[in-house]
Amino acid sequence: MFEIVILVILGILSAVFVGFASRRVLGVPIGWPRSIVVGILVFICGLPFATWVLRETGAMSGTQAEASDAVILTLIVLSIAWVFALGVGLLVILEAVFPTTSLRNPIDVVRAGLQQQKRTRRYLQILEIASRNGAGWLFRGRNRNDADLNTSEQRAAAIVRTINQSGVTFVKLGQVLSTRRDIVPEPYLTALASLQSSATTIPWPAVKAVIEEELGRPISDVFQAIDESPLAAASVAQVHTGILLDGTQVVVKVQRPEARAQVAADVDIILRLAKTAEVHTQQGRDLRAESVAKGFTQTLLDELDYRIEYSNTEMIRQTLVEIAKHADEKDITIDVPTVYPQASTRRMITMDLVDGQPLSRASAALGEMTTEARHTLAVGLMNAVLEQIIVCGVFHADLHPGNVILREDQSLGLIDFGAIGIIEKSARENLAALLLAASSEDDIAATDALMLIVDVPETADIESFRHDIGLVLTTVRFRRGGGGSIFSLMLDVIRQHHIALPATLSSAFRSFATLEGCLKVIVPDFDLVTEAFPRVPTLMRRMLDPKRLAIGVQAQLAVGRALLRKFPRRIDSIMAKLDSGDFGIRIRSFSEGDDRQWLNGVVSEFVGVFVSVAAVVISIILVINGVGPLIAPNLHLFDLLGAVVGFFGFLGIMRSVLRAFFANRGRVGR
């Protein structure tokens, strides 16, 4: 019994020692469980293997020694060392096939498992809804449920049915796609535009709980009153009217308690479905499904933070202030509601109650206005949006008739700034050049300007692209009435030629197109091309304001002057080094410490591999030749030396191989 206990203790100590030694020898973090298992195998096999070696070399004959004690001890140690080396080789194979992963916190593992279960259940639910409505082909090819979907109209209707039954996140995705004419073709565009996010109202106690949680104090500390009956209920938020302590009439938009959790759960599913659709279906590839999904999910998550909407509102307000500085007396006033930061947080936003009706429901009020007043209203809105996009570079990115309010004094107000567009100056200059070329029907200049805006693939047929743009410009010039906006038609051409349009500029094109829809609500026969294009030269002059140009030139001159002041000193330094013979060229790639360290590491690895391979080759030569004095009946001295050299060479090769695997996985140094 005592002997067994001693043996077990020795085995455990040996296993730990071998595990530690193998990690040190290999130089990379091998998992302890597998290291200890290999250590136990080395302990079990070491002595039997050493006994076999002593017998085969003739160093031991039964219990009688046939060689010196030093030779026998060396053979025992070397035999166990080679068992250890083979164990190291086994570790290398295990790491190559089943890489070591860090042990996770058990609580995190359980939590991740529960979340994965929820995602899987939701994922299967979406697939079931898609299959039931005949849209299973989006994810796994055609099946019996969609055998009758022979036309694009039928497939589009199936997609809309699926989205409507899949919840708020998917409905919002469909609504965003309905505005992306640059990637979504008809009839999918029209079908997606019919999506409506129906929502039941939240009971007042739940709304009150959210408000007080966000404010961190009772409602009465901020509001005189809030109407418990909602003014409107949407899929993400619910709107109530209220009165601040100073008597200001406001609206309070409160996010639904479950909205963020539901969106967060669906975001991962949307990204997975989009990737699957793009890989397995032509429609997914045509829609660039994965890229669109990534942009949408990030935008949606941003829209759930109402602090961002507050910042957006203030940015739009500043653009209208700038525009008002250059407005004529006859121009209409466009404003945005004031947001009250003391009553606004991440999940609720409080702003002025805007009197009036959205254009989508203002037909009666518009009918009471004179033709001249309606035309003035349309021109004022057009000018404001054009200046926001071209001159300011900050604009409302969701400008539809529901977000433009006709106020009681016949002015206009803008609401809902969850999404705005921002375009840098250089891109705005290219966009203005495109509009100038379009106004003169110059298809070559328009194509060149567009090519500065879009990402043109190498395989694009530029001449065909120019031809199609020219057809749009000529058609729009002589066409009156329907047929689509010039910007919608350009987006169609861009999509048909599989050319990618940057998201910000796509948003600008979309805003131009939706602007035309708003204008036609005010004046049904309003012609955006005739009215807007003559304004472009004026907007160009505004953008190229002499004062701003002068400041820009001054800045460039200041930078150039600073560089020129350094130039003589640099020339003098170069000449001095040439004169003294110290002139040299430094390769920038290896001038930094990290670069030199990487290069040293590569050289060291190469030298290590070379030496290890050479050691193995030398050991093989020594063993095969079998020369040198006999140190045991069947063992020459060079055989022993070959085994020693081969042992170190084998370990060196295993170390290099495993480090190569780790480097490929980006895990060196972990």
Side-chain angles (χ1 to χ4, degrees):
M1 182 66 181
F2 179 74
E3 292 80 0
I4 295 176
V5 173
I6 295 297
L7 190 63
V8 170
I9 293 174
L10 289 175
I12 294 174
L13 292 176
S14 174
V16 173
F17 172 76
V18 171
F20 177 78
S22 63
R23 290 167 64 92
R24 297 291 296 177
V25 167
L26 293 173
V28 290
I30 303 297
W32 272 109
R34 64 182 60 182
S35 299
I36 292 176
V37 168
V38 170
I40 293 174
L41 291 175
V42 171
F43 177 75
I44 294 173
C45 300
L47 288 178
F49 181 69
T51 302
W52 179 81
V53 169
L54 291 175
R55 188 171 59 252
E56 290 297 315
T57 57
M60 291 288 294
S61 177
T63 58
Q64 184 177 357
E66 300 292 341
S68 66
D69 292 342
V71 171
I72 292 174
L73 181 61
T74 301
L75 286 174
I76 292 173
V77 172
L78 187 59
S79 299
I80 296 175
W82 264 104
V83 173
F84 168 75
L86 294 175
V88 169
L90 177 61
L91 282 176
V92 171
I93 295 173
L94 289 174
E95 280 296 319
V97 179
F98 305 107
T100 294
T101 57
S102 58
L103 295 177
R104 300 174 60 188
N105 187 314
I107 296 177
D108 293 337
V109 171
V110 173
R111 184 183 294 116
L114 293 175
Q115 292 175 346
Q116 179 64 37
Q117 184 181 19
K118 291 180 181 178
R119 284 198 301 268
T120 302
R121 188 163 57 246
R122 178 65 169 150
Y123 185 81
L124 293 175
Q125 181 186 19
I126 298 300
L127 289 179
E128 189 275 330
I129 293 172
S131 297
R132 186 173 66 244
N133 288 283
W137 55 272
L138 271 175
F139 313 113
R140 55 179 180 270
R142 298 186 64 85
N143 59 37
R144 62 184 182 182
N145 291 326
D146 50 54
D148 296 330
L149 303 182
N150 298 317
T151 67
S152 297
E153 288 78 7
Q154 291 173 328
R155 287 192 288 271
I159 292 175
V160 169
R161 289 194 302 271
T162 299
I163 291 175
N164 269 324
Q165 297 175 28
S166 298
V168 52
T169 313
F170 292 89
V171 169
K172 283 196 165 291
L173 171 61
Q175 290 172 340
V176 169
L177 289 176
S178 71
T179 65
R180 293 298 302 269
R181 196 180 188 95
D182 56 314
I183 56 175
V184 181
E186 291 288 0
Y188 297 95
L189 204 68
T190 300
L192 292 172
S194 67
L195 287 169
Q196 297 294 328
S197 53
S198 58
T200 57
T201 58
I202 314 171
W204 169 247
V207 175
K208 180 181 179 182
V210 172
I211 294 175
E212 292 187 336
E213 179 184 348
E214 290 297 300
L215 294 176
R217 46 186 166 164
I219 289 178
S220 57
D221 288 355
V222 180
F223 297 92
Q224 283 187 24
I226 296 182
D227 189 351
E228 296 184 6
S229 300
L231 180 66
S235 54
V236 172
Q238 188 163 290
V239 180
H240 292 255
T241 57
I243 305 174
L244 294 176
L245 293 179
D246 61 3
T248 304
Q249 298 280 337
V250 295
V251 292
V252 185
K253 183 164 70 171
V254 183
Q255 193 173 113
R256 290 175 174 267
E258 75 284 357
R260 177 170 290 273
Q262 182 177 354
V263 170
D266 283 346
V267 159
D268 180 63
I269 294 173
I270 288 175
L271 294 175
R272 291 172 183 269
L273 293 178
K275 183 176 182 179
T276 302
E278 186 164 336
V279 169
H280 295 292
T281 71
Q282 185 60 46
Q283 290 88 349
R285 288 188 287 274
D286 289 342
L287 295 178
R288 300 188 185 99
E290 187 174 10
S291 175
V292 172
K294 287 180 179 178
F296 158 74
T297 52
Q298 185 57 54
T299 299
L300 182 55
L301 290 172
D302 288 344
E303 288 185 15
L304 291 175
D305 188 343
Y306 291 153
R307 294 170 299 186
I308 295 176
E309 183 172 347
Y310 166 65
S311 176
N312 291 347
T313 304
E314 294 307 307
M315 292 178 69
I316 294 295
R317 188 192 313 282
Q318 284 302 115
T319 66
L320 294 174
V321 169
E322 290 294 320
I323 292 169
K325 294 178 181 178
H326 304 276
D328 296 331
E329 292 183 2
K330 62 179 181 179
D331 285 347
I332 64 165
T333 301
I334 299 178
D335 58 18
V336 299
T338 299
V339 178
Y340 298 93
Q342 74 276 14
S344 301
T345 65
R346 182 172 61 90
R347 292 199 296 162
M348 64 174 286
I349 185 168
T350 303
M351 63 188 74
D352 283 333
L353 175 63
V354 180
D355 62 295
Q357 304 175 69
L359 289 181
S360 57
R361 300 200 304 267
S363 56
L366 288 169
E368 296 175 358
M369 297 173 60
T370 65
T371 301
E372 182 180 355
R374 293 174 67 167
H375 187 269
T376 300
L377 202 65
V379 170
L381 177 60
M382 177 195 73
N383 289 341
V385 175
L386 285 175
E387 290 206 32
Q388 281 185 333
I389 294 176
I390 296 177
V391 179
C392 301
V394 177
F395 58 94
H396 198 310
D398 192 19
L399 192 72
H400 57 73
N403 285 338
V404 182
I405 306 299
L406 177 61
R407 309 190 67 167
E408 294 179 0
D409 62 358
Q410 296 187 352
S411 65
L412 293 177
L414 303 180
I415 62 171
D416 193 359
F417 303 98
I420 65 171
I422 301 177
I423 308 178
E424 69 274 21
K425 184 180 179 182
S426 58
R428 299 200 308 271
E429 290 174 350
N430 295 334
L431 183 59
L434 169 63
L435 296 180
L436 281 174
S439 66
S440 62
E441 202 186 341
D442 188 338
D443 57 293
I444 295 178
T447 303
D448 291 341
L450 259 177
M451 291 178 64
L452 293 173
I453 293 174
V454 301
D455 299 323
V456 183
E458 296 181 358
T459 57
D461 186 343
I462 303 302
E463 185 59 27
S464 175
F465 182 55
R466 180 206 60 76
H467 170 73
D468 291 343
I469 291 295
L471 291 180
V472 169
L473 298 181
T474 301
T475 300
V476 170
R477 180 184 177 189
F478 293 101
R479 187 199 62 208
R480 293 294 181 269
S485 161
I486 182 175
F487 302 101
S488 298
L489 296 175
M490 282 188 177
L491 288 174
D492 287 341
V493 171
I494 290 171
R495 175 180 49 78
Q496 289 162 6
H497 285 267
H498 303 286
I499 294 175
L501 185 64
T504 53
L505 289 166
S506 172
S507 180
F509 270 65
R510 186 169 68 249
S511 291
F512 280 133
T514 54
L515 168 64
E516 188 166 20
C518 293
L519 298 176
K520 287 187 177 296
V521 171
I522 301 172
V523 179
D525 60 349
F526 193 90
D527 189 344
L528 180 62
V529 172
T530 302
E531 297 282 354
F533 281 5
R535 287 273 303 165
V536 175
T538 302
L539 297 178
M540 284 285 289
R541 288 193 295 271
R542 286 275 312 282
M543 187 165 51
L544 303 175
D545 177 67
K547 183 177 180 180
R548 295 174 65 186
L549 283 176
I551 294 174
V553 171
Q554 186 177 1
Q556 291 292 334
L557 289 174
V559 173
R561 180 170 173 268
L563 292 174
L564 285 174
R565 290 179 64 182
K566 293 181 179 180
F567 189 69
R569 291 200 302 272
R570 291 180 176 177
I571 293 296
D572 184 61
S573 175
I574 292 173
M575 296 303 295
K577 289 181 179 180
L578 284 172
D579 197 33
S580 64
D582 294 333
F583 182 76
I585 298 176
R586 183 175 63 180
I587 301 175
R588 181 176 296 274
S589 298
F590 305 114
S591 63
E592 301 296 332
D594 290 343
D595 296 334
R596 291 195 296 272
Q597 184 178 358
W598 173 82
L599 182 60
N600 290 336
V602 171
V603 173
S604 298
E605 288 291 335
F606 175 78
V607 172
V609 171
F610 178 78
V611 171
S612 298
V613 172
V616 171
V617 172
I618 291 172
S619 71
I620 293 173
I621 293 174
L622 289 173
V623 172
I624 290 177
N625 285 337
V627 296
L630 282 170
I631 56 176
N634 298 323
L635 180 67
H636 293 86
L637 176 62
F638 284 2
D639 294 333
L640 185 64
L641 292 176
V644 173
V645 173
F647 167 75
F648 289 107
F650 179 80
L651 288 183
I653 291 175
M654 291 298 99
R655 176 186 174 95
S656 298
V657 169
L658 190 57
R659 287 181 66 85
F661 276 113
F662 270 64
N664 289 336
R665 296 196 295 265
R667 296 171 57 194
V668 172
R670 280 185 51 188

